[in-house]
Amino acid sequence: MTAVAVQIGRRRPVATAPASHGPLLDTHGRVHRDLRISLTDRCSLRCTYCMPEQGNEWLARTSILTLDEIERVARVAAAAGITTFRLTGGEPLLRPDLVEVVRRLSAIDEGHGPVQVAMTTNGIRLAEQLDALVAAGLARVNISLDTLRRDRFAALTRRDRLDDVRRGIEAARDSGLRPLKLNAVAMRGVNEDELCDLVEFALAHDAELRFIEQMPLDAGHTWDRARMVTREEILHALAERWSLTAVPGRGGAPAERWRLDGGPATVGVIASVTAPFCGDCDRLRLTADGQLRNCLFSTDEYDLLPMLRDSTRTDADLEAVLRNCVWAKLPGHAIDDPGFLQPDRGMNAIGG
Ligand code: SAM
Ligand code: SF4
């Protein structure tokens, strides 16, 4: 597929505001500490809930942020109080300079203490790259796995790569990276009969399974609320096998967690649709083409790309945009509002 420049979403004209100091605060009092950085919109899989079968109109290669540009935004963000960078995509392991990205970002220290670099991946190619990533400073990894059945995996992701994913999970199990988390989107008629098996699989790999409610973020706009397996249904299925005790002290984390049979093993549920956690959200997103987003579901983006490529624009200009973006964050994603508009970008181009 040829790469063409695409204009996605409404891009706000970037207005620089006087740089202020202190934490990255929005008008609802939320302090932002977590920047999700999408390294590419491309992927080795085609999960039905994320990408259309034929792939997307890919972002133009010339608009993808370079290593230096990513590092610069990350430094400015860290100086403003960001403490965690989560690398995502698309599939971050497809990025040829990934190890160097991890090395540069994990070396950032802008006076608020060292940052942590984490990654969300589908696991394909992880086994080959993990040692180098850990040596470069990667602190944590989340791996996505929705089914343990090869036929289902191939149908769901449109690629027959389950064995590659399992190799990646085994490599993560054998690494020192903890906590290790496996993410599964629960889907009716697809994997809802495997929820307990997925938890068992995670436990056998010294990992925590986290179930995610399916969100209206597929590039094909095919999301159907009725097909979404809810938090309540997930908990009901798990309670058939384990006694569940809520773990207190969630903070800004997206997952609610439960101890299984008193612990120490735990399971998590990210109920973005039926029990949104927007009130505690501390996340900000940078797309692979340099758009800042203050929410997964926002339809507004703040375009850093021209600023990054204009030698007259300073770090203070970038910081002002960062602060404007956070400041404009809405109280919640409003999926249930009649006027809800699904963002034009699919999850792969936003960065989950
Ligand atoms: N390719 C990597 C992966 O799959 O882990 C990183 C990017 S992916 C967009 C990040 C996470 O978003 C994955 O755990 C994936 O399951 C989740 N995701 C993608 N589309 C989703 C949707 N429509 N609803 C809920 N979760 C979704
Ligand atoms: Fe690729 Fe991850 Fe989207 Fe699946 S969820 S298509 S692995 S970006």
Side-chain angles (χ1 to χ4, degrees):
M1 185 166 298
T2 45
V4 291
V6 281
Q7 183 79 12
I8 303 175
R10 267 191 300 140
R11 293 188 177 183
R12 288 191 175 198
V14 172
T16 54
S20 59
H21 300 285
L24 273 175
L25 200 63
D26 70 13
T27 57
H28 308 279
R30 294 169 294 194
V31 175
H32 288 65
R33 304 206 180 283
D34 182 324
L35 177 64
R36 312 269 159 133
I37 302 176
S38 175
L39 297 180
T40 175
D41 59 330
R42 298 180 187 236
C43 191
S44 40
L45 299 178
R46 295 287 182 275
C47 303
T48 51
Y49 50 73
C50 181
M51 287 175 79
E53 182 161 16
Q54 66 282 11
N56 289 319
E57 220 169 320
W58 305 118
L59 298 170
R61 285 190 191 276
T62 50
S63 69
I64 300 292
L65 295 188
T66 64
L67 178 60
D68 288 344
E69 290 166 345
I70 292 169
E71 185 188 14
R72 184 171 172 209
V73 177
R75 274 192 191 289
V76 169
I82 292 290
T83 55
T84 303
F85 301 119
R86 175 166 293 279
L87 306 178
T88 180
E91 178 44 51
L93 289 166
L94 291 184
R95 177 114 183 179
D97 55 1
L98 176 63
V99 172
E100 195 49 32
V101 172
V102 171
R103 193 185 325 282
R104 297 250 202 122
L105 297 195
S106 51
I108 290 175
D109 185 348
E110 294 291 314
H112 301 286
V115 296
Q116 271 217 331
V117 180
M119 179 172 71
T120 301
T121 170
N122 64 26
I124 295 171
R125 295 194 192 177
L126 184 62
E128 292 81 352
Q129 297 193 49
L130 194 54
D131 287 350
L133 290 167
V134 172
L138 186 69
R140 280 179 288 127
V141 69
N142 292 0
I143 306 175
S144 302
L145 176 71
D146 300 321
T147 175
L148 299 168
R149 288 182 39 176
R150 192 170 164 183
D151 55 338
R152 287 185 181 179
F153 186 93
L156 179 63
T157 67
R158 300 150 170 148
R159 300 286 186 274
D160 185 13
R161 306 289 301 269
L162 179 59
D163 289 346
D164 297 320
V165 174
R166 291 182 73 138
R167 262 195 294 282
I169 294 171
E170 282 158 19
R173 175 199 59 197
D174 296 340
S175 76
L177 298 188
R178 293 294 184 276
L180 174 60
K181 295 175 186 168
L182 304 187
N183 292 344
V185 178
M187 285 160 284
R188 197 172 308 292
V190 177
N191 62 356
E192 62 184 329
D193 57 343
E194 281 188 83
L195 304 188
C196 292
D197 294 349
L198 283 161
V199 174
E200 298 277 15
F201 177 87
L203 297 179
H205 290 78
D206 199 19
E208 178 185 83
L209 203 290
R210 304 190 317 164
F211 292 106
I212 308 175
E213 283 182 345
Q214 189 175 349
M215 296 178 277
L217 286 169
D218 57 312
H221 291 236
T222 59
W223 183 77
D224 172 3
R225 197 186 184 107
R227 288 184 68 76
M228 187 190 76
V229 179
T230 64
R231 166 189 182 276
E232 289 312 311
E233 290 172 300
I234 294 165
L235 293 178
H236 184 75
L238 300 180
E240 303 263 302
R241 188 164 318 177
W242 296 280
S243 73
L244 304 175
T245 320
V247 178
R250 175 182 181 184
E256 294 172 85
R257 299 169 69 230
W258 286 266
R259 289 197 182 88
L260 300 168
D261 288 340
T266 51
V267 67
V269 179
I270 301 177
S272 320
V273 180
T274 66
F277 38 87
C278 305
D280 290 316
C281 180
D282 67 350
R283 284 168 289 286
L284 192 62
R285 291 183 154 78
L286 177 67
T287 68
D289 59 339
Q291 308 299 308
L292 269 179
R293 301 172 61 89
N294 56 28
C295 176
L296 264 181
F297 295 95
S298 56
T299 47
D300 289 334
E301 300 184 332
Y302 292 70
D303 193 353
L304 295 184
L305 193 66
M307 299 186 84
L308 288 164
R309 295 183 181 177
D310 176 346
S311 58
T312 67
R313 309 304 291 267
T314 63
D315 287 355
D317 293 334
L318 291 172
E319 182 180 346
V321 178
L322 202 71
R323 290 187 181 278
N324 283 344
C325 176
V326 171
W327 193 249
K329 184 157 168 158
L330 297 174
H333 58 46
I335 288 176
D336 285 326
D337 285 5
F340 172 75
L341 277 181
Q342 182 173 338
D344 289 335
R345 286 181 190 260
M347 187 69 138
N348 70 299
I350 295 173

